[in-house]
């Protein structure tokens, strides 16, 4: 197994290409036979041999233009076919073992369903191929399988023929007329319930919609199918993009490494992102189903019709498609809560990635294992970069740019530079400086300094940017940053600068710093920056807590208002860290009480504003954190908050009536607000009865889970009793039971490690199912601060022991769960050495996967200087 890094700079076009593929697949649990007939043409002028990728395949035979061909050499990951002509047909027969494929890449058999996952480099585990995204071919696939066991046989494209054999098997042939890279290949065989529907595009084309779910789960698929139709309509209305095949299929499976996969015409989904009904799914689950369904659908244009030239360009399709799904979700639900959701992801996870050894630009330069680069940076920061294009070009300019992108590149495999060029040509706006966002990693910090001259009534505000060095890049350049900029005085009057550097509320910062001048100023102005999170940056604004509260009161931008409250909480928690929590002035508590009173009817904003920043978010504004003292300070603040504000919290809680369950934005906001309030009230004398009442009365999973979360950590007896009740109700339904696994794994208790061991012995737990592993070990490592960061290091060791086991089964999932351990640089020296000791154990392990090797070795090689984030 090669541990060598590949570099973006070393890209070479392929020496051969494949135009058409004819595949025949005879399904068998341990010996599935693949016959693939490839039409190959030499595209370079030199006389290279043909080198095909292949991984874990048993080669049976190989023919060139129908004749047995023996001038070949099998190496570890490649098959070299020597002295081939310029154009020829290669017929390869090989066997694979789906049943023992626990890594869930390539073709695997789980719970009596065959399915595939080929992105990024899984097709080479099915057959020998040029497994790279810049080789595009049409596919015709014939599947053969036992008819009783696998009545459904699916592949990409349209079904063109089918038949039965005498031996109890049947076969179906599928044709996909759109040339595609191998990573979009898919097949499925199983026995499902089917939901059927249809959709007529604006231009009148009728598309069959099919959703395949586990037997008995049909009613839980209805929402996903409705979401799909909304996404199809939205993409036509917003971008003029229609679906292209006659049929669109989605299959939900229980064993899946990620959320879902956009295979052409045949999406495969983790059932977590398909199945939802009122009883079993929370409002958040419904939201996620709709957004993932849309995301995969939107890939049909941004990803499939126009694909990536090489994997370094991943953000070309992912950043853009995440942006598209975010815009869709905002239109379907609410702009504000969507924006806050995404900013939380950026602050909790992406900023942490930037500060870690895995730091990389949205277009990475160097990769050992591609699966490690499906990151919050490529996806979420990538989407923020597209959002900045949208800000710079405006709605119409952005649409023109997208039209130009499709006009130029439909049917091609292209680069991020091609995308920028299309945007630039269509709008005639120079994007060359802006494009540095593709190559520079790290989180820029925007700092504000003010100078007020009371006599002249003028004020200067200097806005400076600085990007601290990152693990992968020590030298940084100033970026082109759209900084939404507002300015208020203590009476809430808004000001703009005299030179007009702020245009339409946005300052385009393209230099290390710039100074804005304000006149007619009677009292110091308060800068209100980065409205709607106009750029993926941190802000150093040095506001006093009084000023933050004024921002909440007067800012026009709702995001800024929410953010101001987050800063107030951050400031309060810092006081508790210093041991001065008790001294927080009554005026602050009174102001918080006013906020709650005044916004009592605005359930959306209040619900968001009452969420105290998470431990992970707080870490991003602190250095060398002692996890236990920060966690305790946060908790002490939460106690003080709920006790001091108990009566107003209770009054607003009582004022929110939630009628019988509806999934619409008004009810979602009300439930959300109510559950956030319950969480605070759980720390008060009302806690026990309120939580038990809500659990008993709940007619939906949002309120059930809301009650459990409120009880967790605050009301141990109620928690224990309600969790038992929940388990007996949902024991038969592992997807729902994952919520219960996750709650147990994130509960702070002294015996948490023995609790984890019990969870791992639970009849529904299996190391082979990524959802279960994420629910137990992922939740613990990512979110159980007290348990994972135990001062004796036992939490780190527990996770490491498990990772050693998991890595041998499913390296991709193991390499995800190891992330918190690799972020040792966030913590105090004592924790750093305990964490590194476990990373060293991992690195010393014989047979460590490439996935783990890359993350662990980078993390251990990372030397931090004071300046690193
Ligand atoms: N493109 C897939 C992700 C594939 C991950 C491979 N390890 C899902 C998505 O982003 O839509
Ligand atoms: Zn995607």
């Amino acid at each position: 197994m090669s541990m060598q890094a590949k570099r973006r700079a070393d890209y070479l076009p392929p020496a051969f290409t494949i135009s058409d593929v004819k595949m025949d697949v005879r399904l068998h649990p341990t010996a599935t036979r693949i016959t693939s007939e490839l039409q190959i043409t030499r595209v370079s002028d030199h006389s290279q041999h043909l080198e095909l990728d292949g991984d874990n395949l048993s080669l049976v035979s190989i023919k060139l233009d129908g004749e047995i061909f023996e001038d070949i050499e099998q190496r570890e990951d490649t098959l070299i076919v020597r002295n081939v002509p310029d154009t020829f047909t290669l017929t390869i027969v090989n066997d694979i073992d789906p049943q023992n494929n626990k890594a869930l890449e390539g073709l695997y058999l789980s719970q009596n369903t065959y399915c595939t996952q080929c992105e990024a480099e899984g097709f080479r585990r099915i057959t020998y191929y040029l497994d790279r995204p810049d080789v595009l071919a049409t596919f015709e696939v014939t599947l053969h399988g036992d008819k009783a066991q696998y009545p459904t046989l699916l592949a990409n494209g349209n079904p063109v023929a089918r038949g039965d054999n005498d031996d109890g098997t049947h076969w179906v042939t599928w044709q996909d007329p759109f040339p595609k890279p191998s990573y979009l290949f898919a097949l499925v065989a199983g026995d499902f319930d089917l939901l059927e529907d249809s959709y007529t595009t604006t231009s009148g084309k009728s598309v069959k919609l099919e959703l395949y779910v586990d037997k008995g789960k049909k009613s839980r698929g209805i929402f996903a199918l409705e979401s799909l139709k909304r996404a199809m309509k939205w993409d036509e209305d917003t971008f003029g993009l229609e679906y292209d095949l006659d049929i669109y299929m989605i299959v939900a499976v229980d064993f899946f490494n990620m959320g879902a996969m956009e295979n052409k015409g045949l999406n495969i989904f983790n059932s977590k992102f398909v199945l939802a009904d009122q009883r079993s799914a929370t409002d958040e689950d419904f939201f996620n189903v709709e957004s993932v369904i849309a995301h995969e659908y939107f890939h049909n244009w941004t990803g499939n019709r126009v694909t990536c030239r090489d994997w370094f360009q991943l953000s070309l399709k992912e950043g853009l498609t995440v942006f598209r799904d975010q815009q869709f979700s905002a239109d379907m639900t609410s702009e504000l809560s969507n924006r806050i959701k995404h900013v939380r992801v950026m602050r909790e996870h992406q900023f942490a990635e930037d500060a870690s050894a895995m730091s990389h630009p949205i277009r990475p330069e160097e990769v050992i294992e591609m699966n490690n680069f499906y990151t919050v940076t490529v996806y979420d920061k990538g989407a923020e970069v597209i959002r900045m294009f949208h800000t710079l070009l405006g709605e119409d300019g952005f649409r023109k740019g997208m039209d130009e992108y499709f006009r130029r590149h439909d049917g091609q495999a292209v680069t991020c530079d091609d995308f920028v060029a299309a945007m630039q040509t269509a709008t005639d706006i120079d994007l060359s400086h802006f494009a540095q966002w593709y190559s520079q990693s790290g989180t820029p910090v925007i700092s504000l300094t003010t100078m007020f001259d009371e006599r002249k009534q003028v004020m200067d505000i200097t806005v400076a940017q600085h990007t601290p060095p990152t693990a992968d890049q020590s030298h940084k350049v100033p970026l082109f940053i759209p900084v939404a900029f507002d300015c208020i005085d203590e009476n809430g009057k808004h000001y703009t600068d005299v030179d007009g550097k702020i245009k339409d509320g946005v300052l385009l910062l393209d230099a290390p710093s710039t100074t804005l001048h304000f006149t007619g100023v009677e009292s110091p102005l308060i800068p209100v920056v980065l409205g709607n999170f106009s750029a993926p940056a941190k802000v150093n604004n040095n506001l006093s807590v009084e000023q933050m509260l004024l921002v909440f009161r007067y800012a026009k931008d709702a995001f800024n208002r929410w953010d101001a409250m987050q800063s107030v909480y951050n400031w309060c928690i810092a006081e508790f860290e210093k041991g001065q929590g008790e001294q927080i002035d009554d005026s602050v508590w009174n102001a918080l009480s006013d906020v709650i009173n005044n916004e009592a009817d605005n359930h959306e904003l209040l619900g968001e504003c009452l969420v105290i920043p998470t431990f992970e978010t707080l870490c991003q504004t602190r250095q060398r954190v002692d996890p236990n003292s920060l966690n305790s300070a946060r908790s002490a603040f939460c106690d003080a908050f709920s006790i001091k504000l108990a009566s107003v919290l209770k009054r607003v809680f009582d004022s929110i009536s939630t009628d019988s369950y509806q999934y619409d934005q008004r009810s979602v906001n009300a439930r959300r607000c109510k559950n956030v309030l319950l969480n605070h009230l759980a720390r008060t004398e009302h806690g026990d009865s309120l939580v038990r009442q809500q659990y008993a009365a709940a007619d939906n999973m949002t309120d059930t889970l809301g009650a459990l979360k409120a009880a967790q950590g605050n009301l141990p007896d109620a928690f224990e009793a309600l969790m038992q009740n929940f388990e007996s109700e949902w024991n038969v339904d592992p997807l729902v039971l994952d919520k219960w696994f996750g709650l147990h794994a994130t509960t702070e208790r002294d015996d948490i490690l023995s609790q984890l061991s019990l969870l791992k012995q639970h009849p529904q737990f299996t190391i082979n199912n990524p959802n279960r592993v994420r629910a137990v070990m992922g939740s613990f490592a990512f979110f159980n601060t007290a348990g994972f960061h135990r001062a004796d290091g036992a939490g780190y060791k527990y996770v490491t022991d498990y990772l050693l086991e998991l890595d041998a089964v499913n390296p991709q999932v193991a390499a995800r769960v190891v992330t918190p351990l690799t972020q040792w640089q966030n913590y105090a020296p004592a924790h750093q050495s305990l964490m590194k000791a476990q990373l060293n154990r991992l690195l010393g392990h014989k047979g460590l996967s490439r996935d783990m090797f890359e993350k662990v070795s980078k993390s251990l090689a990372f030397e931090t200087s004071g300046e690193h984030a």
Side-chain angles (χ1 to χ4, degrees):
M1 190 164 24
S2 161
M3 300 290 179
Q4 202 81 49
K6 285 192 191 142
R7 293 167 46 82
R8 178 172 76 89
D10 295 339
Y11 172 83
L12 282 177
F16 293 86
T17 196
I18 302 173
S19 56
D20 304 279
V21 180
K22 219 171 170 173
M23 258 172 101
D24 183 88
V25 179
R26 287 170 196 266
L27 295 165
H28 182 280
T30 53
T32 288
R33 173 143 301 186
I34 312 285
T35 305
S36 89
E37 195 181 290
L38 313 174
Q39 303 303 327
I40 304 184
T41 310
R42 188 185 297 276
V43 282
S44 65
D45 38 10
H46 35 79
S47 57
Q48 280 175 21
H49 303 305
L50 172 68
E51 258 187 61
L52 299 173
D53 305 295
D55 187 357
N56 249 309
L57 308 173
S58 323
L59 182 62
V60 176
S61 69
I62 180 160
K63 286 184 182 165
L64 196 148
D65 288 333
E67 303 289 324
I68 293 283
F69 193 78
E70 283 172 338
D71 193 1
I72 57 167
E73 183 191 339
Q74 262 181 287
R75 296 201 187 144
E76 200 187 351
D77 301 324
T78 46
L79 174 72
I80 301 177
V81 188
R82 298 188 194 285
N83 302 310
V84 294
D86 287 348
T87 163
F88 55 100
T89 305
L90 199 67
T91 311
I92 302 169
V93 182
N94 65 276
D95 287 344
I96 50 178
D97 180 357
Q99 185 167 292
N100 291 304
N101 178 354
K102 303 293 180 208
L104 314 187
E105 267 195 283
L107 175 68
Y108 58 93
L109 175 62
S110 287
Q111 272 187 347
N112 220 22
T113 300
Y114 286 94
C115 77
T116 53
Q117 172 54 37
C118 292
E119 187 177 0
E121 296 176 334
F123 192 71
R124 62 188 63 186
R125 292 169 183 240
I126 296 176
T127 186
Y128 290 100
Y129 201 75
L130 293 173
D131 191 14
R132 45 186 290 168
D134 56 355
V135 170
L136 282 73
T138 62
F139 281 70
E140 182 185 293
V141 179
T142 302
L143 297 173
H144 309 254
D146 185 85
K147 190 166 182 179
Q149 256 188 311
Y150 310 109
T152 301
L153 300 174
L154 310 174
N156 315 86
N158 303 311
V160 292
R162 64 178 70 231
D164 292 339
N165 302 315
D166 296 337
D167 58 355
T169 63
H170 67 147
W171 59 272
V172 183
T173 299
W174 292 84
Q175 257 170 13
D176 181 1
F178 291 94
K180 65 169 176 289
S182 51
Y183 83 86
L184 291 172
F185 170 89
L187 70 82
V188 171
D191 188 5
F192 302 98
D193 269 353
L194 170 62
L195 287 91
E196 287 177 285
D197 207 331
S198 69
Y199 178 85
T200 306
T201 68
T202 307
S203 66
K205 181 184 169 77
S206 169
V207 182
K208 250 171 91 167
L209 308 179
E210 297 189 342
L211 177 65
Y212 294 84
V213 297
D214 279 354
K215 289 257 174 218
K217 296 280 159 66
K218 217 166 157 169
S219 63
R220 281 198 210 168
I222 296 168
F223 181 76
L225 204 49
E226 292 301 316
S227 300
L228 173 62
K229 289 187 282 181
R230 285 191 284 271
M232 295 177 88
K233 175 82 172 69
W234 185 90
D235 218 14
E236 292 175 3
D237 294 347
T238 315
F239 288 108
L241 298 171
E242 284 191 10
Y243 186 63
D244 48 13
L245 286 163
D246 302 337
I247 178 168
Y248 191 83
M249 297 170 285
I250 296 175
V251 182
V253 299
D254 293 325
F255 285 70
F256 208 62
N257 278 348
M258 331 75 60
M261 178 64 213
E262 70 265 24
N263 316 300
K264 183 79 188 189
L266 175 56
N267 289 184
I268 300 179
F269 269 64
N270 186 329
S271 49
K272 184 176 160 66
F273 296 108
V274 173
L275 303 179
D277 65 11
Q278 163 181 352
R279 273 193 67 242
S280 67
T282 61
D283 293 339
E284 196 184 339
D285 292 327
F286 277 101
F287 175 91
N288 290 337
V289 166
E290 181 157 78
S291 82
V292 181
I293 290 273
H295 179 97
E296 306 311 330
Y297 174 72
F298 296 155
H299 266 315
N300 191 52
W301 278 95
T302 49
N304 302 3
R305 290 284 289 253
V306 184
T307 196
C308 301
R309 186 193 71 174
D310 56 77
W311 288 121
F312 297 100
Q313 317 295 330
L314 181 61
S315 205
L316 173 82
K317 74 176 177 82
E318 295 304 348
L320 181 54
T321 305
V322 171
F323 173 72
R324 277 153 52 65
D325 85 52
Q326 290 180 353
Q327 294 293 85
F328 166 74
S329 293
D331 285 351
M332 294 301 117
T333 60
S334 130
E335 200 175 329
L336 176 66
S337 53
N338 272 277
R339 198 65 194 120
I340 291 172
K341 200 186 296 270
H342 303 132
V343 173
R344 287 199 170 107
V345 171
M346 290 298 294
R347 289 183 176 162
E348 280 181 25
H349 303 291
Q350 201 280 322
F351 288 1
E353 188 160 87
D354 269 341
S356 80
M358 272 296 286
S359 167
H360 53 276
I362 63 168
R363 182 186 55 201
E365 297 293 346
E366 237 186 63
V367 165
I368 295 179
E369 169 52 60
M370 189 54 212
N371 284 326
N372 283 336
F373 286 83
Y374 289 76
T375 58
V376 274
T377 299
V378 167
Y379 274 63
D380 299 82
K381 185 177 177 183
E384 293 301 324
V385 171
I386 302 292
R387 185 176 294 274
M388 289 190 287
F389 275 106
H390 191 265
T391 306
L392 296 175
L393 309 181
E395 184 86 44
D396 291 347
F398 189 79
R399 171 66 197 266
K400 276 194 197 133
M402 289 288 280
D403 289 350
E404 180 64 10
Y405 174 63
F406 294 121
R407 194 190 65 73
R408 291 180 176 194
H409 299 302
D410 187 12
Q412 298 173 4
V414 304
T415 64
C416 297
D417 289 335
D418 294 322
F419 178 81
V420 178
M423 288 281 154
Q424 176 157 317
T425 309
T427 56
D428 219 10
I429 293 176
D430 180 1
L431 294 166
S432 49
H433 185 187
F434 178 75
Q436 301 261 22
W437 282 98
Y438 282 96
S439 45
Q440 183 157 297
S441 59
T443 312
V445 181
I446 298 167
S447 302
L448 297 127
T449 41
T450 55
M451 266 202 351
F452 176 51
D453 187 329
E454 194 170 0
R455 199 180 48 80
K456 294 193 186 139
Q457 296 198 335
V458 296
M459 180 143 169
D460 285 354
I461 301 179
T462 299
V463 188
Q465 61 163 306
H466 169 69
T467 305
T470 51
D472 60 322
Q473 259 174 7
S474 50
H475 178 70
K476 302 290 179 185
V477 297
L479 292 167
F480 189 101
I481 311 180
V483 184
F485 209 105
D486 187 12
C487 237
I488 53 171
D489 67 14
E490 60 194 19
N491 301 312
K493 188 173 162 208
H494 293 262
Y495 291 74
T496 193
D497 69 311
V498 282
D499 305 318
K501 288 187 185 174
I502 303 171
K503 289 194 189 68
D504 300 326
V506 180
L507 166 72
L508 296 177
L509 181 64
D510 60 354
S513 75
T514 188
T515 298
L516 305 171
H517 306 290
F518 297 84
T519 52
V521 182
E522 285 166 19
S523 63
L525 297 180
I526 307 168
V528 183
V529 294
L530 227 57
N532 207 30
F533 201 62
S534 62
K538 294 184 182 177
V539 178
N540 244 336
N541 202 354
N542 295 321
L543 299 185
S544 67
V545 68
E546 291 75 21
Q547 289 176 314
M548 295 169 195
L549 287 161
L550 287 171
V551 174
F552 177 78
R553 193 148 155 203
Y554 294 125
K556 288 187 201 146
D557 181 281
F559 168 83
N560 277 141
R561 298 186 67 201
W562 168 80
D563 204 22
M565 289 309 294
Q566 299 297 296
S567 305
V568 171
Y569 299 141
N570 197 339
W571 176 87
C572 293
I573 292 167
E575 292 300 292
F576 275 88
E577 284 177 279
K578 289 185 263 173
Q580 296 171 3
E582 300 305 322
Q583 283 99 287
I584 292 177
D585 202 83
D586 274 348
S587 62
V588 175
W589 296 113
N590 291 339
L592 290 176
S593 174
D594 288 348
V595 167
I596 302 171
N597 261 318
N598 297 341
E599 303 298 332
D601 297 328
N602 186 350
H603 296 158
E604 177 172 38
L605 185 71
L606 185 61
E608 296 299 346
C609 283
L610 287 179
V611 178
I612 310 302
T614 61
F615 171 83
E616 295 73 30
T617 304
L618 294 169
C619 279
Q620 291 315 309
T621 47
R622 286 158 177 76
Q623 297 212 339
R624 309 257 150 101
V625 170
D626 174 9
N628 295 308
S629 28
L630 177 58
N631 199 36
S632 309
R634 181 180 180 280
S635 185
F637 169 68
C638 290
D639 282 339
F641 184 90
S642 51
I643 304 297
K644 297 231 184 228
L645 303 172
S647 63
V648 58
L649 292 169
K650 178 73 169 52
R651 193 186 64 70
V652 180
F653 180 84
D654 290 337
S655 76
I656 304 177
S657 63
T658 44
D659 316 326
S660 66
Y661 187 84
Q662 290 274 8
Y663 181 73
D664 60 43
Q665 204 48 36
R666 198 195 57 79
S667 336
V668 168
N669 293 340
R671 269 191 299 276
R672 161 112 172 133
C673 191
K674 198 158 185 165
N675 279 305
V676 173
L677 287 159
L678 183 65
N679 224 304
H680 291 299
L681 290 169
R683 295 172 185 262
T684 69
E685 53 175 348
H686 314 290
D688 198 81
S689 60
L690 289 178
V691 162
R692 288 180 196 262
Q693 265 168 33
Q694 174 161 320
Y695 187 90
D699 71 343
N700 65 83
M701 183 55 80
T702 308
D703 288 339
T704 302
L705 207 66
L708 291 173
K709 280 191 176 157
Q712 187 190 32
N714 299 317
L715 302 160
D717 294 342
F719 185 63
E720 220 37 61
L722 302 180
M723 285 289 274
Q724 271 183 30
N725 182 289
F726 189 94
E727 187 196 6
S728 52
E729 187 170 355
W730 294 106
N731 205 358
V732 288
D733 199 327
L735 192 60
V736 183
L737 201 65
D738 280 344
K739 300 181 193 307
W740 178 90
F741 276 123
L743 281 166
H744 270 312
T746 49
T747 300
E748 298 192 354
R749 48 192 288 172
D750 293 339
D751 62 348
I752 183 66
L753 301 181
S754 37
Q755 285 296 311
L756 290 178
S757 300
L758 287 178
L759 294 176
K760 289 189 326 200
Q761 285 157 26
H762 192 281
Q764 292 289 13
F765 185 86
T766 159
I767 196 169
N768 294 327
N769 184 305
N771 286 358
R772 283 325 79 75
V773 171
R774 281 186 285 255
V776 176
M777 295 309 290
S779 305
F780 175 73
F782 276 93
F783 301 116
N784 193 329
T785 308
F788 181 63
H789 292 291
R790 271 170 57 142
D792 62 0
Y796 306 143
K797 178 167 183 304
Y798 193 93
V799 170
T800 304
D801 290 344
Y802 194 76
L803 286 173
L804 287 169
E805 208 184 319
L806 180 61
D807 192 44
V809 178
N810 190 330
Q812 226 182 101
V813 175
R816 286 268 158 160
V817 179
V818 79
T819 306
L821 212 48
T822 64
Q823 297 181 345
W824 52 262
Q825 74 287 335
N826 281 346
Y827 304 107
H831 286 269
Q832 293 195 356
S833 40
L834 290 167
M835 295 171 94
K836 285 198 230 174
Q838 296 305 322
L839 290 169
N840 270 311
R841 262 183 80 207
L842 286 168
L843 194 65
H845 182 75
K846 233 181 105 220
L848 196 70
S849 69
R850 181 163 51 203
D851 310 55
M852 282 287 256
F853 171 82
E854 175 167 41
K855 291 184 77 167
V856 173
S857 64
K858 279 188 179 165
S859 177
L860 282 168
F862 183 30
E863 289 304 326
T864 53
S865 73
E867 239 240 309
H868 283 93

